[in-house]
Amino acid sequence: MRISDQQMLAQAQYQMNADYDRLAQAQTVLSTMRQINSPADNPVGAAAALELQDHLAQTNSFSTTASDTLSWLQTTDTSLSSVNDALLQARTLAVQGGDGTLTQDQRRAIASNVAQVLQTAVQAANATYNGHYVLSGYKTSTAPFGITTSGGATTVNYQGDNNAIQREISPGQMMQINTPGSTALPAVFAAIARLHDDLQAGNTAAISGADLQALDQAHDGLLVSQATVGASINRIQSVQTTLQTTQVNLSGQYSQLVDANMAQAATDFSARQATYQAALSAAAKVIQPTLLEFLK
Amino acid sequence: MPGTFFGINTALRGLEAQQGAMDVTSHNIANASTPGYSRQSVDMQTTDPWYDPSMQPAGVGQFGTGVTITAITRAHDSFTQQQIVYQNQAQQQQQTLSDTLNSVSQIYNDPTAQGFSTLLSNYFTAWQQLANNPSDNPSRAVVASQGAALANGFNAAAGSLASLQQNQDHQVGAYVQQINTISGQIAGLNQQIVAVLGTGQQPNDLKDQRDTLLNQLSQLANVQYTVSSNGSMNVALVGAGALVQGVSSFQLATIPDSQASSQVAAQPGFSDVVFQGQTKPLQLSGGQLGGALTMRDQTLQGQLNQLNSLAKNVVTAVNGFQMAGYGSNGATGIPFFAPGGTTAATMAVNPAIQSNLANIAAASSVDPVTGLPAPGDGTVAQQVSQLQETPPAGGTVTLQQQYEGIISALGVAAHQAQTNVQTGQLVLQHLNAQESSVSAVSINEESSNLIQFQNAYQAAARVISIFNQTISDMITQLGV
């Protein structure tokens, strides 16, 4: 093909520009340390990276929810344990008070003990987490239990509702995090309250009979609730472990997709720099002597 | 026998021819770096031979009478020129597309940590936290402010897209003016070229000028051209009509698009391109003008439409749940996003929400006695946050997946355009090399021609001097 002087120059310019362009791209990768700087760099990868980003954000959010839920459940667990302790104490007092050899004054002394125990138990049941009552169902700003006395009858009223607080702890998985106080506790408090009233009134037969039975039955119900809470705690802890693993995996995948391999980026840059410099030095020699120089 | 001074005349013709050839060569060398210049060469031909003009010619006759330059022609490959004209407009169209899509990618700034998708996911995370703490005021404040950030993000993106459209619209006017100038110049050159051809001469430099103008025009729009038998070049806009016909040029103009006319532009107020004096908008593609129109009306408008669709889906889905739920003050039916703002540019958080955070609906029911929802009820907030995983009502993909679809399509188109631009540059490079190979000046070639003509000139001059001597001898020796 016939080559003209213009063509030599045009060719050199085109090549210099092309090499400079490639050098600039390598520099962008090196300075941002990312392979994907715009969707055009890797369209499929960019969409996948976005999805990973979203999942990671969701997983982080679920993680926060899970640890919040764990604290809630642990508060519930502590509360129920304290009620359990109070119940056992009441039972001991019931056995004591059922002794037929006691005087009424002694029974009244025991009754006032039982009253203390009841108050302790109700206070434990009114536990809060972060300012919310954990046993009130949806009514988290209302204390679940209140003691009222009228005449010789002590009653403990449940002031919460029966709603289950459901939280999403991982995609598509809902978990009930609360135990409404109406599940097992009214029986417990009713038994202790009756024990108190009977001690106060001196109904020895009831104390060692029906009251003791009621306490035992209430204890069984409470144990079931505690077991459920324990199972929930196990579940949430296992979910937390899974979420942590997921976080690590997602971060790893994202990094693999988007971040640049330092060694490769630096090598690329050096290689393209060398190519560009070669193009420059070739361009410098494009002005060749013509025939005129030799015609004298 | 031919006359005494016959030989001198032959030598003289030789001298003149060689001198003319050297003049043409010097013209070539002077224009060695002129863009668009086609090298010229002389056609030398022997002049008609002499013979004895009688009924029965005596002697051998047919004495050659020398040489003359019959034409100065330019080396020009019109087939390659056609290819270049076509490639120019295709390349400019792709370049415009690539630049525009790059600008759009920067608007969304994804995938990075400061991109649009982070706004979306932060918004839904805020709802999740509210679902965990429905009675918590700080959580409500976060939801409101993330909502405002999201709405601002949509507004800003829509604003940037609209301003890109405006830019392209302004470019349309500029390109139309350039086209008008060039077509006027081509018509003027046509007149001159036809006049020169009429006298039997070759208007090589004028044709070069006209070809350069044609190249410039081909970058601006998709044109077709033919060279008629009298030498004038007729240029037409593909799909629209004649720009240059002989010595007349037809000017283009822009008129604002109105709803009443056949709406060619994407939005009323944008410029339609018409022939001056007419109102029918032209459908143009190719070149910088076609590129600007396509970007404005199809590419950018398409991006805006997709963004608007996403905005509408977000607003509809969130408001749907919100209006059915109850705020912490028992209020219901209050949408989170202002109900009139269903496009990306008009999306905004409901002022009723911003002025009173209690209006944010987190609960799904209220106590019939107090009219207030239970403080632990976060079911509606939960539903809104679940828009991260479940498609909104009537949809098949989640909101974030819809956004990913937008980015993915953008990436594919941008990548394709970049590849096309690079390929196109290679093709143009190759075509230009081909054209150069035919038309460009090679100094080596010209200088060797120069030597050739110089030698011939010297020889002819020597011949004249010898003839002079011969005639002088004849006069002095044969006289008395």
Side-chain angles (χ1 to χ4, degrees):
Chain A
M1 192 164 90
R2 179 175 167 274
I3 301 287
S4 60
D5 310 275
Q6 264 185 358
Q7 180 55 19
M8 289 283 279
L9 196 61
Q11 184 70 25
Q13 276 180 346
Y14 174 74
Q15 209 50 52
M16 267 194 303
N17 285 337
D19 288 337
Y20 207 28
D21 189 35
R22 285 166 51 81
L23 184 62
Q25 284 175 22
Q27 182 161 43
T28 306
V29 171
L30 198 58
S31 47
T32 59
M33 287 311 294
R34 292 167 66 99
Q35 292 172 9
I36 304 184
N37 288 307
S38 98
D41 293 336
N42 182 354
V44 173
L50 280 183
E51 216 175 300
L52 286 172
Q53 226 177 309
D54 286 340
H55 277 154
L56 200 52
Q58 276 184 45
T59 307
N60 288 341
S61 179
F62 284 136
S63 206
T64 314
T65 305
S67 63
D68 192 64
T69 302
L70 181 61
S71 305
W72 184 291
L73 286 168
Q74 282 169 337
T75 310
T76 309
D77 190 44
T78 312
S79 162
L80 292 179
S81 287
S82 304
V83 171
N84 193 28
D85 291 341
L87 184 56
L88 291 175
Q89 238 186 330
R91 198 183 185 284
T92 315
L93 289 172
V95 170
Q96 251 189 341
D99 189 346
T101 61
L102 291 177
T103 65
Q104 189 51 28
D105 282 335
Q106 284 171 316
R107 281 200 201 91
R108 282 205 194 93
I110 296 177
S112 73
N113 263 354
V114 172
Q116 291 283 17
V117 165
L118 183 61
Q119 273 197 340
T120 311
V122 169
Q123 222 176 352
N126 287 346
T128 58
Y129 167 68
N130 236 5
H132 304 302
Y133 289 103
V134 298
L135 295 178
S136 295
Y138 274 169
K139 295 187 172 177
T140 54
S141 46
T142 319
F145 291 104
I147 310 178
T148 50
T149 347
S150 70
T154 318
T155 36
V156 179
N157 296 316
Y158 179 61
Q159 288 145 185
D161 64 20
N162 301 328
N163 284 314
I165 300 182
Q166 301 271 12
R167 283 200 190 153
E168 199 179 6
I169 48 170
S170 73
Q173 256 196 62
M174 303 292 283
M175 174 168 163
Q176 178 176 349
I177 70 168
N178 71 331
T179 308
S182 53
T183 318
L185 294 175
V188 172
F189 296 137
I192 302 180
R194 266 194 60 193
L195 175 62
H196 170 268
D197 293 343
D198 283 343
L199 278 170
Q200 198 77 350
N203 302 336
T204 13
I207 292 170
S208 49
D211 287 349
L212 215 49
Q213 257 186 345
L215 283 171
D216 285 337
Q217 271 181 343
H219 186 234
D220 287 340
L222 187 58
L223 285 177
V224 170
S225 272
Q226 277 188 295
T228 312
V229 171
S232 294
I233 290 180
N234 281 345
R235 182 179 167 200
I236 198 75
Q237 282 174 333
S238 119
V239 165
Q240 273 186 315
T241 313
T242 310
L243 285 175
Q244 272 174 357
T245 315
T246 310
Q247 273 173 322
V248 170
N249 283 347
L250 287 177
S251 297
Q253 282 177 31
Y254 184 78
S255 175
Q256 206 167 6
L257 198 52
V258 169
D259 292 337
N261 181 337
M262 175 77 169
Q264 189 176 7
T267 316
D268 253 352
F269 181 76
S270 298
R272 294 190 187 185
Q273 201 175 27
T275 311
Y276 175 61
Q277 285 175 351
L280 284 179
S281 92
K285 301 192 176 85
V286 82
I287 302 176
Q288 301 282 1
T290 60
L291 189 54
L292 287 169
E293 307 232 336
F294 297 94
L295 298 171
K296 282 296 173 245
Chain B
M1 288 292 291
T4 318
F5 299 101
F6 182 74
I8 290 188
N9 279 321
T10 305
L12 179 63
R13 284 192 198 98
L15 213 60
E16 283 169 349
Q18 301 310 323
Q19 187 172 6
M22 289 203 309
D23 287 338
V24 170
T25 306
S26 126
H27 181 61
N28 280 345
I29 292 182
N31 282 300
S33 53
T34 307
Y37 177 76
S38 312
R39 65 193 167 101
Q40 295 171 6
S41 49
V42 296
D43 289 347
M44 291 198 206
Q45 236 185 335
T46 55
T47 44
D48 291 334
W50 178 91
Y51 59 93
D52 190 7
S54 71
M55 288 275 289
Q56 288 181 339
V60 296
Q62 299 297 315
F63 277 92
T65 49
V67 68
T68 183
I69 296 178
T70 47
I72 304 174
T73 52
R74 64 176 188 147
H76 181 73
D77 183 352
S78 52
F79 177 61
T80 306
Q81 185 185 29
Q82 279 214 333
Q83 287 185 299
I84 290 180
V85 162
Y86 175 74
Q87 192 62 28
N88 271 343
Q89 59 86 20
Q91 179 69 4
Q92 286 301 329
Q93 170 102 6
Q94 287 300 318
Q95 185 71 51
T96 313
L97 179 62
S98 176
D99 292 340
T100 304
L101 290 176
N102 278 346
S103 302
V104 175
S105 297
Q106 284 173 1
I107 292 178
Y108 289 126
N109 200 19
D110 264 321
T112 65
Q114 300 85 26
F116 197 81
S117 110
T118 309
L119 285 177
L120 270 174
S121 79
N122 282 351
Y123 179 61
F124 289 120
T125 306
W127 276 108
Q128 172 126 35
Q129 294 308 318
L130 181 62
N132 293 345
N133 272 319
S135 56
D136 191 34
N137 261 342
S139 298
R140 281 167 184 269
V142 171
V143 167
S145 75
Q146 291 292 355
L150 182 63
N152 282 343
F154 269 107
N155 297 152
S160 298
L161 284 174
S163 114
L164 281 176
Q165 272 184 318
Q166 288 286 350
N167 277 352
Q168 296 297 344
D169 192 46
H170 293 151
Q171 301 275 42
V172 167
Y175 292 142
V176 160
Q177 280 194 344
Q178 284 180 22
I179 291 178
N180 284 343
T181 310
I182 294 177
S183 54
Q185 288 174 328
I186 292 182
L189 280 172
N190 274 346
Q191 191 170 22
Q192 294 180 318
I193 289 174
V194 168
V196 168
L197 281 173
T199 65
Q201 296 173 351
Q202 291 294 327
N204 293 320
D205 293 328
L206 291 172
K207 282 191 185 172
D208 280 343
Q209 281 180 31
R210 190 173 63 181
D211 287 339
T212 307
L213 285 172
L214 179 65
N215 264 355
Q216 288 175 4
L217 189 59
S218 73
Q219 292 192 0
L220 287 166
N222 190 4
V223 294
Q224 277 173 345
Y225 69 99
T226 50
V227 180
S228 65
S229 50
N230 70 346
S232 72
M233 180 187 275
N234 299 328
V235 183
L237 272 177
V238 171
L243 268 185
V244 176
Q245 194 90 29
V247 301
S248 15
S249 73
F250 301 100
Q251 303 282 291
L252 296 172
T254 57
I255 56 171
D257 186 80
S258 69
Q259 294 285 95
S261 72
S262 68
Q263 187 160 6
V264 173
Q267 297 184 18
F270 282 159
S271 318
D272 279 336
V273 178
V274 296
F275 279 112
Q276 209 158 47
Q278 295 183 10
T279 53
K280 176 164 170 279
L282 304 172
Q283 306 267 23
L284 298 171
S285 68
Q288 289 174 312
L289 177 60
L293 289 170
T294 311
M295 290 311 106
R296 184 192 72 189
D297 298 336
Q298 288 170 29
T299 312
L300 287 170
Q301 190 63 34
Q303 287 294 325
L304 199 52
N305 290 345
Q306 283 184 312
L307 189 65
N308 283 341
S309 161
L310 180 63
K312 185 163 172 212
N313 285 348
V314 170
V315 168
T316 312
V318 172
N319 281 355
F321 288 129
Q322 280 290 286
M323 287 174 57
Y326 295 87
S328 61
N329 52 6
T332 184
I334 300 184
F336 185 88
F337 290 109
T342 48
T343 64
T346 54
M347 179 171 168
V349 176
N350 192 347
I353 297 276
Q354 284 181 320
S355 58
N356 185 1
L357 295 175
N359 283 334
I360 299 180
S364 58
S365 59
V366 284
D367 187 315
V369 172
T370 60
L372 297 175
D377 184 353
T379 32
V380 164
Q382 189 79 267
Q383 284 174 326
V384 177
S385 92
Q386 276 173 323
L387 283 171
Q388 282 181 300
E389 311 137 26
T390 41
T396 47
V397 291
T398 69
L399 294 169
Q400 279 163 318
Q401 281 172 339
Q402 186 178 357
Y403 176 68
E404 281 156 27
I406 295 179
I407 291 292
S408 172
L410 179 63
V412 168
H415 187 76
Q416 189 64 42
Q418 280 177 3
T419 310
N420 286 345
V421 165
Q422 284 172 347
T423 314
Q425 276 175 345
L426 265 174
V427 172
L428 259 182
Q429 172 76 0
H430 190 71
L431 286 175
N432 281 331
Q434 243 179 306
E435 200 206 22
S436 279
S437 162
V438 172
S439 313
V441 172
S442 160
I443 301 222
N444 290 340
E445 199 178 310
E446 299 304 316
S447 34
S448 64
N449 284 345
L450 204 54
I451 296 170
Q452 185 186 343
F453 298 140
Q454 188 189 18
N455 283 339
Y457 183 88
Q458 284 174 342
R462 199 82 190 92
V463 166
I464 289 185
S465 139
I466 290 179
F467 267 118
N468 182 34
Q469 188 66 40
T470 318
I471 292 172
S472 170
D473 283 345
M474 190 178 69
I475 293 175
T476 52
Q477 304 293 349
L478 295 180
V480 184

